[in-house]
Amino acid sequence: ARQVAPLPLWFLDYLTGTKADAIVLAPPFRGRQLPSSPVVIVSHGLGATRMSYSSLCCALASHGCVVAVVDHCDGSAAVTRFSDGHVVQFNESCLRGGARRESKDFRHSQLVTRVNELQIAYENLRELAQRSGHWMKDRLDFDCCVGLGHHLGAATCLAACVRAGADQTKPRFQHLALLSPTMEHFLQEDVEFAASHPLPQRVLCLDVPKARRPEAEGSSAARLRQILLPMPEERRIMVEMQGATHLDHSDLAMAVPVLRLLGMSGPAPAAETQRLQNQVILNWLERGRRGQPPRAAPSITSTRRRQASASDTRRSW
């Protein structure tokens, strides 16, 4: 993690003392008959882990979603620990960009591995939902399955849907929530396929100014626009959270407030930024379950990228 965010070791030691607003192994609610729960599968970003998004995941779970977060084993996680004690450390090659063929091949192989891991998570949830006596039995709504990813994780969820289209298989995700996606791992031919075969999913893209790339051909931002803009407007919405950075999507900015002083997170309190993000995602998901289009506000531009701040998003969403 220090290689991704250049922080002193004592900053990272501080994280071990942070607590999430949740109860470990809490029994599921077994009161009155409840409607089936939406399924959210989360893919973490570069240098993060499955525990990096507790605020967002707790908010989703508190509103009736069943949330599964994947620890990816491609070397992009800060560290991945298996139940048998095996450990996969962060791979420094993840930080080496460039246009060389070996760099492109490595990044693409990461994306393929990550997509496969999302599919394994999905199939495991399917199996649990059919297992007699398990609390998930008949309680998961796989017709409302959300792929939610941050940075490289957003690209992973997007790639899973592009692959389903290319393979002509039923997509596992009906909704995509993309947080500051990076498109460096996509091959140009995959981008061109997605541009010519618009995604059938509903897509919410929450971006931040510092995560935007130059609009040159082949850049990350241009590739994302090439995929999303051919979609019908009622199925996609692109939101820009002014003043935030890509770290504000995760728990890190809340756990280490001094990041604001270092300019690594936005000037607004991290908890407020997280609350705003969670509210936007929850409202977008609820409207999707009701079959309603995204609620547009007057400040959305022709590309439907909303210029959002904490105050006006509260008012408009």
Side-chain angles (χ1 to χ4, degrees), residues 40-285:
V40 182
I41 299 179
V42 182
S43 177
H44 65 73
L46 183 65
T49 71
R50 60 185 171 84
M51 296 180 287
S52 299
Y53 307 94
S54 61
S55 172
L56 173 57
C57 294
C58 285
L60 290 166
S62 297
H63 284 77
C65 298
V66 172
V67 185
V69 193
V70 178
D71 251 344
H72 288 292
C73 306
D74 62 327
S76 63
V79 63
T80 306
R81 298 182 184 277
F82 293 86
S83 57
D84 62 0
H86 177 61
V87 175
V88 176
Q89 300 287 353
F90 179 76
N91 188 337
E92 293 185 36
S93 299
C94 297
L95 302 178
R96 297 173 189 153
R100 293 183 303 174
R101 181 67 190 180
E102 55 268 29
S103 297
K104 291 183 177 181
D105 290 344
F106 174 75
R107 292 197 298 267
H108 182 65
S109 68
Q110 280 188 293
L111 200 60
V112 171
T113 298
R114 283 170 146 260
V115 168
N116 290 338
E117 289 167 346
L118 288 189
Q119 293 176 346
I120 291 171
Y122 177 91
E123 297 301 333
N124 285 344
L125 288 173
R126 276 278 193 185
E127 190 274 328
L128 291 174
Q130 298 171 5
R131 184 182 297 180
S132 178
H134 196 278
W135 70 266
M136 289 189 188
K137 173 70 173 175
D138 298 329
R139 295 185 65 170
L140 304 190
D141 181 6
F142 287 98
D143 289 328
C144 185
C145 188
V146 184
L148 189 155
H150 173 215
H151 194 253
L152 179 53
T156 304
C157 294
L158 192 58
C161 296
V162 173
R163 177 195 281 187
D167 295 343
Q168 298 183 341
T169 57
K170 181 180 178 180
R172 290 169 173 82
F173 300 134
Q174 290 75 45
H175 311 271
L176 288 177
L178 312 177
L179 310 181
S180 295
T182 178
M183 301 296 293
E184 294 178 353
H185 294 64
F186 262 77
L187 297 179
Q188 185 58 33
E189 50 262 39
D190 294 332
V191 175
E192 293 172 356
F193 174 86
S196 60
H197 299 77
L199 296 175
Q201 288 81 10
R202 293 175 67 251
V203 178
L204 168 67
C205 181
L206 273 177
D207 210 344
V208 295
K210 288 187 178 181
R212 292 170 63 182
R213 303 296 181 109
E215 304 264 340
E217 181 64 28
S219 71
S220 184
R223 289 184 172 192
L224 181 65
R225 285 157 51 99
Q226 193 175 347
I227 291 175
L228 297 186
L229 292 185
M231 297 176 59
E233 288 193 357
E234 65 270 16
R235 291 212 309 266
R236 60 163 167 84
I237 184 165
M238 301 170 72
V239 181
E240 185 175 296
M241 299 177 65
Q242 293 181 348
T245 73
H246 77 96
L247 291 180
D248 288 314
H249 291 303
S250 70
D251 295 340
L252 187 60
M254 288 193 297
V256 189
V258 75
L259 292 179
R260 291 175 63 190
L261 301 178
L262 300 176
M264 298 176 67
S265 67
E272 171 65 13
T273 303
Q274 279 277 326
R275 190 203 62 78
L276 167 63
Q277 168 186 269
N278 299 348
Q279 178 183 337
V280 170
I281 293 174
L282 286 166
N283 279 306
W284 167 80
L285 180 57

